[in-house]
Structures are given as C-alpha cells and as structure tokens.
C-alpha cells in the first residue's frame, strides 16, 4: 500500500506542474529582453524543416549603422543557428558582407508605411514567408505623420499582409530615439500595440514587441540607427520572438 500511495503522490505532483505550465502558456506574453534566449526544445514534426524568415522594413532592415553585420540579420542568423533553427531569409533584396550566410531581405532606406502599403501584398506573396519581421513607422513619424495617422497606416499594411499569407507577423515598435517631442513616439507605441491586439482578437497570428526601451545611447551609430552592439540586442529580441512563435503558436 505504501507503494500505491507513493505513486498517487507522484501523479498529483505531475498534474500540478502541468497545470502551472499551461497557465504560463495561455498568458501569451513574450517580454522583450536584452539577453540571449535559451536553446529551445526541438519543434514539433508539423513545423517546417526550414523556417522562411522575411525581414521587412526600412534602413535598419538594410543594416544602416552596421553594414559589416548586415544590421541585425547577421547576428540573428547566428543566434538561430545556435538554437538549431534552420532558416532561409527571404525577400527580393540581396546585400551585406560575405560573412553573413543568407543575404536576402526586404528593406528600403527611408521607406514609410505609406510607401509600403501599395507594394506589401505582392512582396509578401512572392517571398512566401513563415515569419515576417516587420519594423516600420519610424520614418512616418520623422516625416511629420502624427502617431494616429502612422497607426492607421500600420493597420492598413498588416491588413494587406494577412490577406495574402497565414505567416506569423512580428511587429517591432520604434527602437530609435526620435529628436524633439517624444510624445508622438510614445503615443504611436500605444496605438500600434492596440492595432496588433485587434488582429490577434480576430484570429490572425500577429504579435507586437515594444522596443521603446530596448537600446542604450552607446548602442547607436548616429543617434538614429543602431551600431553593431545595438543590432546584436535587436537580433536577440527577434530571436526570442521567433522561438516563442515556434514553441507556442
């Protein structure tokens, strides 16, 4: 009988632990952290053997401020390779140093959400990604668009994306410190998070990463674009988001 009691006790312990894990997964929160992610468990067999990742954005996607690393694209590939995730970077643009294994991306210096809107459906359809890394909005604010107008543009861009793909879309907020009044940036972050939440409520696999406090002043090359150290921080942020997408779809 003592053996039976011991087995029952172990069974109750397993149930309690599983309950705690399920509660954490259901919360769905993925905090943005600067440190590198732990190596994940192998993905389910249903996951693609090669993850097609589409970097989509403006000059920081190109790699302005650290061309020697292709911005965050080089460090991100190294982190995911360490994690055992095989990636194919996709996009119609190709550029960066020979040290970066895969140089494909979709980025254009100075591009605004307004510029992207008429093109984004075709770009995403052709790239056929599993994950889209969307970072835009900075140039809209810099060129005088209000936070509310920039958020409306973001809503329209995401709507075009989800019309043509069921890929996971990870939307990063503005990580560059903007000169002058910071209220528009703060308001845009709030509104952008709400835009993304609306898509999630309608069942679309879209998530938001608040990056407003991600970078330190010495991680900027020119006051706007990150330097190599800053891009490594950004790469670790994308890495965490991608791993969470794979492990908790």
């Amino acid at each position: 009988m003592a053996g039976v009691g011991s087995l029952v006790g172990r069974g109750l312990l397993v149930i309690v632990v599983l309950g705690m894990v399920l509660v954490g997964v259901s919360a769905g929160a993925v905090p943005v952290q600067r440190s590198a992610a732990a190596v994940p468990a192998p993905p389910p067999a249903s996951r693609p053997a090669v993850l097609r990742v589409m970097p989509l954005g403006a000059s920081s996607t190109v790699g302005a401020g650290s061309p020697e690393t292709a911005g965050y694209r080089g460090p991100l590939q190294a982190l995911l390779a360490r994690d055992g995730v095989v990636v194919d970077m996709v996009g119609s643009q190709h550029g960066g140093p020979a040290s970066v294994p895969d140089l494909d991306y979709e980025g254009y210096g100075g591009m605004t959400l307004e510029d992207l809107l008429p093109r984004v459906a075709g770009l995403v359809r052709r790239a056929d990604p599993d994950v889209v890394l969307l970072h835009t909005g900075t140039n809209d604010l810099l060129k005088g668009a209000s936070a509310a107008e920039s958020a409306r543009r973001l809503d329209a861009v995401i709507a075009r994306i989800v019309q043509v793909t069921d890929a996971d879309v990870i939307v990063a907020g503005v990580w560059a410190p903007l000169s002058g009044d910071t209220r528009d940036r703060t308001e845009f972050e709030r509104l952008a998070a709400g835009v993304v939440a609306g898509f999630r409520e309608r069942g679309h696999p879209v998530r938001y990463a608040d990056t407003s406090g991600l970078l330190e002043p010495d991680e900027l090359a020119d006051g706007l674009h990150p330097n190599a150290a800053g891009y490594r921080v950004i790469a670790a942020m994308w890495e965490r988001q991608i791993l969470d997408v794979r492990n908790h779809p």
Side-chain angles (χ1 to χ4, degrees):
M1 293 301 291
V4 172
S6 175
L7 289 172
V8 171
R10 291 182 187 138
L12 288 173
L13 177 59
V14 169
I15 291 171
V16 170
V17 171
L18 285 174
M20 292 171 67
V21 170
L22 290 172
V23 167
V25 169
S26 65
V30 185
V32 173
Q33 300 181 27
R34 293 170 56 84
S35 58
V39 176
S46 60
R47 295 293 182 196
V50 177
L51 189 71
R52 295 174 62 84
V53 176
M54 182 182 190
L56 176 60
S59 54
S60 288
T61 301
V62 178
S66 182
E68 68 273 16
T69 66
Y72 67 75
R73 292 182 284 123
L76 176 59
Q77 290 176 58
L79 290 172
L80 292 174
R82 180 201 66 182
D83 298 330
V85 180
V86 181
V87 298
D88 178 11
M89 308 297 276
V90 297
S92 66
Q93 302 300 295
H94 185 87
S99 58
V100 175
D102 191 333
L103 296 174
D104 295 335
Y105 69 99
E106 201 69 61
Y108 304 89
M111 184 181 67
T112 64
L113 285 159
E114 186 176 41
D115 299 330
L116 179 61
L117 181 59
R119 307 176 57 192
V120 69
L123 293 173
V124 172
R125 188 185 292 112
R126 285 191 292 273
D128 190 25
D130 299 308
V131 177
V132 177
L133 308 181
L134 178 61
H135 176 247
T136 57
T138 303
N139 289 321
D140 298 76
L141 296 173
L142 287 173
K143 293 180 180 181
S146 67
E149 176 59 28
S150 298
R152 283 192 291 270
R153 295 174 182 178
L154 176 65
D155 184 276
V157 165
I158 297 174
R160 296 279 178 91
I161 293 174
V162 300
Q163 284 173 358
V164 298
T165 184
D166 59 359
D168 289 280
V169 182
I170 305 171
V171 181
V174 175
W175 55 56
L178 304 183
S179 59
D181 194 336
T182 62
R183 286 178 295 182
D184 265 349
R185 173 185 171 178
T186 302
E187 180 65 1
F188 175 71
E189 295 287 346
R190 185 186 70 81
L191 294 173
V195 166
V196 170
F199 281 97
R200 288 186 68 84
E201 289 168 4
R202 297 192 292 275
H204 297 292
V206 184
R207 57 174 53 207
Y208 183 73
D210 182 350
T211 58
S212 56
L214 189 63
L215 299 178
E216 299 293 339
D218 63 355
E219 292 168 339
L220 296 167
D222 55 11
L224 181 63
H225 300 99
N227 57 25
Y231 278 121
R232 284 193 293 271
V233 173
I234 292 166
M237 176 277 296
W238 286 129
E239 176 205 22
R240 285 186 172 276
Q241 295 287 336
I242 291 170
L243 294 182
D244 195 68
V245 162
R246 285 174 64 82
N247 294 332
H248 307 116

